[in-house]
Each structure stands twice: as C-alpha cells, then as structure tokens.
C-alpha cells in the first residue's frame, strides 16, 4: 500500500474546514516558537503550518518535503504573503538534508504514518535538533474518523510516545481533539 499523500490533493490540506479543525496557530503554541528559534517543518506540504511558523520567528524555517509539487505550492503561498524566511528543502524524512544540530524546533505534523522507517525518521529528527531542542509530533489517533488516513496505518499515541522515549526524548502528550494527538518531545541536553 502506498502510504504517501497524493500531491494532486494538496488543496485539501489548506481548506478552511481543515484549518478550523487543526488550528495551526494553536498547534504552533505547543512548540513554543519564539523570534530567535530556527525551525524545521518536516513534511511541510503546501504550508499549513510553515506559513504561521515563519511569522513566529525571524530565523529560518526549513520546509522539508519529498514532493517538489508541494514545495512549489508552498513557495507560491509564501510569495503571496511576502514571507522571506522559508527555505525549501526537497528531502525524504529518513535522510533529512539538514546539518546536525541545525535547528532547535522541529514540527512533524500528520506525516509520520507515511514514512518507511519510523525509527530512522526519529533518529534523523534527533540528529538535526540541538541539545534541549523540541520536537512536536502530531498525527492521527488510531480511531475511526471521517477524514485522515486508513485506520490500519495510524499509529496509536501511546505507541508513538513510547517510541520517542526509546530514542531518548522526554515527552508530554496532548489531545487537541478526539482524532489527533500531539507529543512535545525534548532532546536531552547533553
């Protein structure tokens, strides 16, 4: 089964119903982004979270996506809003094209269920984060819902939290709604 979201359906990711449901600005609050934070939005898509992230910081926001079509749409949205601090990076999430310890905030929203190796992806997130940096991982809870990926590829929140802990993160879990979860994970200081 191909787990990857089809970029031809990118408009679904930016529709008003989804924005009301997910409240990107509220999600970003969990990540505690300030004007001095450098951020990577992994699986950025057309920019639902990237655009508001870029408005929160004066530093670079790296929009990482495997689909060039998604990055092109994101570039168009950033240009429309005259946002200049977004850097587009075409990359999968198992071999992220960013330097070690290059960001102190990472957002991974609704894409972890699409990767080939969750462990490898988490290792990469940890590699690019500075010591003490934060990761916010959001995904679909393993429950039936009207939207979202098929139930069989969803990862339960407790399982994801346990995996993050196994990789050396301290974690705090939130449930912004019945269909989603958010885990704020901090990389150890050393």
């Amino acid at each position: 089964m191909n787990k990857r979201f089809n970029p031809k359906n990118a408009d679904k990711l930016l529709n008003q119903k989804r924005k009301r449901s997910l409240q990107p600005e509220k999600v970003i609050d969990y990540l505690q982004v300030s004007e001095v934070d450098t951020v990577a939005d992994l699986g950025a898509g057309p920019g639902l979270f990237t655009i508001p992230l870029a408005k929160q910081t004066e530093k670079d926001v790296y929009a990482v996506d495997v689909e060039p079509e998604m990055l092109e749409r994101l570039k168009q949205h950033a240009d429309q809003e005259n946002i200049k601090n977004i850097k587009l990076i075409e990359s999968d999430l198992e071999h992220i094209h960013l330097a070690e310890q290059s960001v102190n905030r990472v957002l991974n929203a609704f894409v972890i269920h699409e990767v080939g190796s969750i462990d490898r992806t988490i290792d990469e997130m940890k590699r690019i984060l500075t010591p003490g940096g934060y990761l916010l991982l959001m995904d679909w809870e393993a429950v039936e819902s009207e939207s979202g990926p098929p139930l069989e590829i969803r990862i339960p929140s407790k399982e994801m939290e346990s995996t993050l802990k196994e990789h050396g993160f301290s974690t705090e879990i939130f449930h912004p709604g019945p269909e989603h979860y958010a885990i704020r994970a901090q990389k150890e200081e050393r």
Side-chain angles (χ1 to χ4, degrees), residues 3 92-95 111-125 155 160 163 167:
K3 300 189 292 184
D92 67 39
L93 301 186
E94 295 169 61
H95 307 92
V111 291
I112 194 76
H113 63 270
E114 294 183 4
V115 301
S117 169
I118 290 170
D119 287 321
R120 177 76 186 131
T121 299
I122 292 171
D123 283 342
E124 277 292 275
M125 292 184 218
I155 303 154
M160 182 55 66
T163 301
H167 285 265

Side-chain angles (χ1 to χ4, degrees), residues 27-45:
V27 167
I28 291 167
D29 286 346
Y30 290 129
L31 195 51
Q32 301 171 332
V33 175
S34 75
E35 65 275 354
V36 297
D37 289 318
T38 304
V39 185
D41 183 0
L42 305 179

Side-chain angles (χ1 to χ4, degrees), residues 99-142:
E100 189 170 323
Q101 299 184 16
S102 56
V103 299
N104 64 333
R105 298 287 186 271
V106 169
L107 176 66
N108 182 261
F110 304 104
V111 291
I112 194 76
H113 63 270
E114 294 183 4
V115 301
S117 169
I118 290 170
D119 287 321
R120 177 76 186 131
T121 299
I122 292 171
D123 283 342
E124 277 292 275
M125 292 184 218
K126 189 173 181 180
R127 181 186 66 78
I128 67 171
L129 264 174
T130 58
Y134 284 97
L135 157 67
L136 182 67
L137 189 145
M138 288 193 70
D139 212 13
W140 296 89
E141 190 59 83

Side-chain angles (χ1 to χ4, degrees), residues 72-85:
E72 182 54 37
R73 287 182 185 220
L74 173 51
K75 181 184 181 317
Q76 291 168 6
H77 294 130
D79 289 347
Q80 287 169 358
E81 298 215 24
N82 199 29
I83 296 173
K84 304 292 186 204
N85 62 330

Side-chain angles (χ1 to χ4, degrees), residues 43-107:
L48 178 67
F49 297 100
T50 315
I51 299 289
L53 279 168
K55 292 176 180 178
Q56 291 277 332
T57 183
E58 296 171 7
K59 301 290 185 178
D60 288 334
V61 174
Y62 297 101
V64 180
D65 205 289
V66 71
E67 295 288 350
E69 187 176 332
M70 290 289 200
L71 292 173
E72 182 54 37
R73 287 182 185 220
L74 173 51
K75 181 184 181 317
Q76 291 168 6
H77 294 130
D79 289 347
Q80 287 169 358
E81 298 215 24
N82 199 29
I83 296 173
K84 304 292 186 204
N85 62 330
I86 296 174
K87 309 295 182 209
L88 305 176
I89 298 178
E90 186 179 334
S91 173
D92 67 39
L93 301 186
E94 295 169 61
H95 307 92
I96 301 169
H97 298 208
L98 284 171
E100 189 170 323
Q101 299 184 16
S102 56
V103 299
N104 64 333
R105 298 287 186 271
V106 169
L107 176 66

